[in-house]
Amino acid sequence: MAPAPVIRLHLDDGVLIARSSLPPGMVVADGVTTLERIPAGHKVAIRPIALGEPIRRYGQIIGFATVPIAPGQHVHTQNCGMGDFAKDYAFGVDVTPTPNFDLPASFDGIRRPDGRVATRNYIGILTSVNCSAHVAGMVADVFKKNPFTGDNPLADFPNVDGVVALTHKSGCGMTQDEPLTVLRRTLGGYARHANFAAVVVLGLGCEVNQIGGLMKEQKLAGRLRELEIQEIGGTRKTVEAGVAFVREALTDANKVKREPVSASELTVALQCGGSDGYSGVSANPALGAASDLLVRHGGTVILSETPETYGAEHLLTRRAVSREVGEKLVALMRWWEEYTEREGAERQSEQGRRAHHHPGKVARRHGEGRQHQFGGRRELRRSRHQEGFCIYGHAGLRPGRGDRAGGGRGQSRLLHHRPRQRVRLQARALDQACDQLDDVQAHGRRHGRQLRHHPRRRGNGAAMRPAHFRPDAEDRLGTADQEREF
């Protein structure tokens, strides 16, 4: 028997979900005939919906009709808009005891000297500013396996999973209040992550997010090495220093041994992947079941990304372990509203795309797990045996966004920490890269920093520039092959 062409998610729903593209004139349910083509994964109305009437999916309000909608019509952003409505937060009414297993599952983990457990063993390269991202990428690329020759620089270090560069696009000209605080908090979370055996942070030297300030604010002294491009003397020397640091750290990093540890040591971060019409009825419920299973074994789950829960927070507050926890979530939603209004951002575009499936995703994602305390964009420090709910900012960081900065040691993707993706070593001569840094001294002067420089060139009136950025002939690398020798 062929499956029905549509999916009914809840008896109270006024829409059904198309399994595949539905042509006009197809009978979908209860005598309702499609009036137009309904794309796969989209919604078709099964009863009249008046102007301004709530539209329900999963039994939850996902929006309001912006025009009258007839049965059989396609329901999407052209006739469904966001709107505010009274939410019953009902703090904690749906909290149920989480049954734990007497003999929790175990996995082969890496126990760090401070007692924390890691799932991977990396050497990390952080950046204080976007200006040092390329240098961080060049350092990490030195330790990648060559796909053409098969040469693996880490072959002698089988217990090291890789060298990864975590870069971002900020840190330079930014306000020294909330954005800088969030960035530093996120970087601090990465620096302290259990999956890193050693960490180095690279900076330019004239950025707002000074490494010294980051180290002091996040109390990172003794946790990581710091390298400053302007202080060291340019791109080449910084790459060499970064590579030397990694090589020095590899020996100690390779000394780790995996041992059986309880699943209660796992902290898994969930984040939104590619949102489509099916994710709320397939992947997310499956992840919810997996999360409940991990929680029963004493582990922790982080549900992240504030916009993912906006408009559906009343579904989560019902499972908050206390009124205080639920009110923190509501306060975070109010902060989100104030922030977008203050910054002139438009929530409608974000909400309009997400509203058609995210409330249901929240409703269906976690069945038995209960929400534990959370803090906006902060490192997760929780007791075990509860499901964690934590929201992080700074989505510009890759990989893993802010989830791992908060202590998440795994993701829904089989706990695999994907290597850096954003920065690629470009095939060009290093002297060209140095030429791009030609104005760094003027940039430094604007930020009140003195740089070493050579005397003004005679005859051309050129502005003074740091000697360590001058592409002298003997320092040049002319081909991509030579550049890869870094």
Side-chain angles (χ1 to χ4, degrees):
M1 181 177 178
V6 291
I7 303 172
R8 183 188 294 272
L9 298 176
H10 196 280
L11 292 176
D12 293 339
D13 289 352
V15 296
L16 302 179
I17 311 304
R19 289 182 182 271
S20 58
S21 181
L22 306 179
M26 172 177 279
V27 178
V28 290
D30 303 326
V32 175
T33 302
T34 56
L35 302 180
E36 54 190 321
R37 188 182 75 84
I38 311 298
H42 283 233
K43 298 172 291 299
V44 56
I46 57 172
R47 62 173 180 79
I49 304 176
L51 172 66
E53 183 180 347
I55 298 174
R56 293 181 180 272
R57 172 173 160 158
Y58 312 96
Q60 307 297 331
I61 297 176
I62 63 170
F64 297 85
T66 55
V67 296
I69 302 174
Q73 278 192 315
H74 178 211
V75 178
H76 198 51
T77 53
Q78 78 278 4
N79 52 19
C80 177
M82 294 300 297
D84 198 11
F85 60 95
K87 300 179 180 70
D88 180 11
Y89 294 122
F91 298 107
V93 299
D94 291 338
V95 172
T96 57
T98 302
N100 294 105
F101 291 99
D102 293 333
L103 295 175
S106 63
F107 70 100
D108 287 339
I110 301 168
R111 191 171 293 279
R112 299 297 187 190
D114 61 3
R116 295 184 301 163
V117 173
T119 59
R120 295 288 187 270
N121 190 34
Y122 292 110
I123 294 176
I125 306 171
L126 301 182
T127 56
S128 65
V129 64
N130 59 304
C131 308
S132 56
H134 183 65
V135 175
M138 294 174 76
V139 175
D141 282 335
V142 171
F143 300 94
K144 285 185 177 180
K145 183 177 180 179
N146 190 313
F148 303 104
T149 65
D151 293 338
N152 183 8
L154 300 180
D156 295 333
F157 307 95
N159 296 326
V160 177
D161 294 307
V163 179
V164 293
L166 303 180
T167 64
H168 57 94
K169 298 179 179 180
S170 186
C172 183
M174 60 189 308
T175 56
Q176 299 192 41
D177 46 28
E178 187 175 58
L180 181 60
T181 299
V182 172
L183 175 60
R184 285 180 170 175
R185 189 183 297 158
T186 304
L187 291 173
Y190 276 117
R192 288 185 288 266
H193 202 288
N195 278 2
F196 282 142
V199 181
V200 60
V201 58
L202 306 183
L204 178 58
C206 56
E207 62 268 27
V208 170
N209 184 30
Q210 288 285 302
I211 294 180
L214 168 66
M215 300 275 283
K216 181 179 179 181
E217 186 175 310
Q218 292 298 310
K219 298 179 175 61
L220 296 175
R223 284 186 174 269
L224 72 164
R225 184 81 59 85
E226 53 182 294
L227 298 176
E228 219 170 66
I229 296 173
Q230 294 175 354
E231 196 70 32
I232 292 176
T235 297
R236 175 188 293 277
K237 291 184 179 179
T238 306
V239 171
E240 292 172 347
V243 170
F245 164 80
V246 174
R247 287 177 175 157
E248 177 186 335
L250 280 172
T251 301
D252 286 338
N254 193 55
K255 294 178 181 178
V256 302
K257 293 183 179 179
R258 290 186 177 270
E259 60 183 75
V261 295
S262 170
S264 63
E265 299 287 351
L266 279 176
T267 302
V268 177
L270 305 178
Q271 71 177 54
C272 183
S275 299
D276 58 38
Y278 297 121
S279 60
V281 298
S282 56
N284 289 295
L287 287 175
S291 299
D292 290 339
L293 183 61
L294 177 59
V295 169
R296 293 181 194 178
H297 282 277
T300 303
V301 177
I302 305 173
L303 178 61
S304 63
E305 295 184 279
T306 305
E308 295 291 319
T309 59
Y310 184 74
E313 64 273 14
H314 59 294
L315 305 179
L316 293 169
T317 56
R318 303 176 71 89
R319 283 175 276 155
V321 294
S322 68
R323 184 180 184 90
E324 179 186 7
V325 170
E327 287 178 344
K328 285 183 179 180
L329 175 58
V330 175
L332 190 57
M333 295 300 108
R334 302 293 83 80
W335 169 85
W336 172 248
E337 292 175 338
E338 294 169 1
Y339 176 82
T340 53
E341 182 177 355
R342 182 174 71 247
E343 299 298 323
E346 184 180 2
R347 293 191 304 272
Q348 184 73 17
S349 58
E350 176 76 2
Q351 293 170 248
R353 183 178 70 83
R354 300 175 184 272
H356 298 269
H357 51 276
H358 283 210
K361 288 162 66 173
V362 172
R364 298 168 63 90
R365 178 173 272 170
H366 302 293
E368 298 182 25
R370 54 181 175 165
Q371 310 300 65
H372 196 35
Q373 293 182 349
F374 60 91
R377 307 165 304 283
R378 285 181 171 83
E379 184 177 2
L380 185 68
R381 295 174 181 171
R382 310 285 181 259
S383 59
R384 300 297 177 183
H385 310 296
Q386 306 232 19
E387 178 178 343
F389 180 90
C390 200
I391 299 178
Y392 299 91
H394 252 284
L397 282 154
R398 295 292 189 274
R401 303 192 179 183
D403 303 324
R404 294 182 188 84
R409 288 179 287 287
Q411 255 194 308
S412 54
R413 294 171 182 159
L414 302 180
L415 307 181
H416 180 63
H417 192 332
R418 293 183 297 167
R420 172 190 52 80
Q421 295 181 353
R422 285 295 180 92
V423 179
R424 291 286 184 263
L425 180 61
Q426 298 180 6
R428 65 183 181 189
L430 184 61
D431 56 346
Q432 291 177 298
C434 292
D435 286 340
Q436 290 187 351
L437 297 175
D438 212 13
D439 295 329
V440 72
Q441 185 183 24
H443 185 56
R445 284 200 303 270
R446 286 196 298 271
H447 290 275
R449 186 175 183 85
Q450 295 296 322
L451 303 177
R452 296 194 305 272
H453 59 273
H454 65 82
R456 185 185 300 272
R457 295 178 182 177
R458 296 179 180 178
N460 59 6
M464 292 184 293
R465 100 189 204 193
H468 46 272
F469 288 128
R470 189 176 69 251
D472 295 324
E474 63 271 20
D475 274 346
R476 294 182 182 180
L477 291 176
T479 67
D481 290 337
Q482 288 174 310
E483 188 173 6
R484 276 192 288 270
E485 290 178 1
F486 260 140

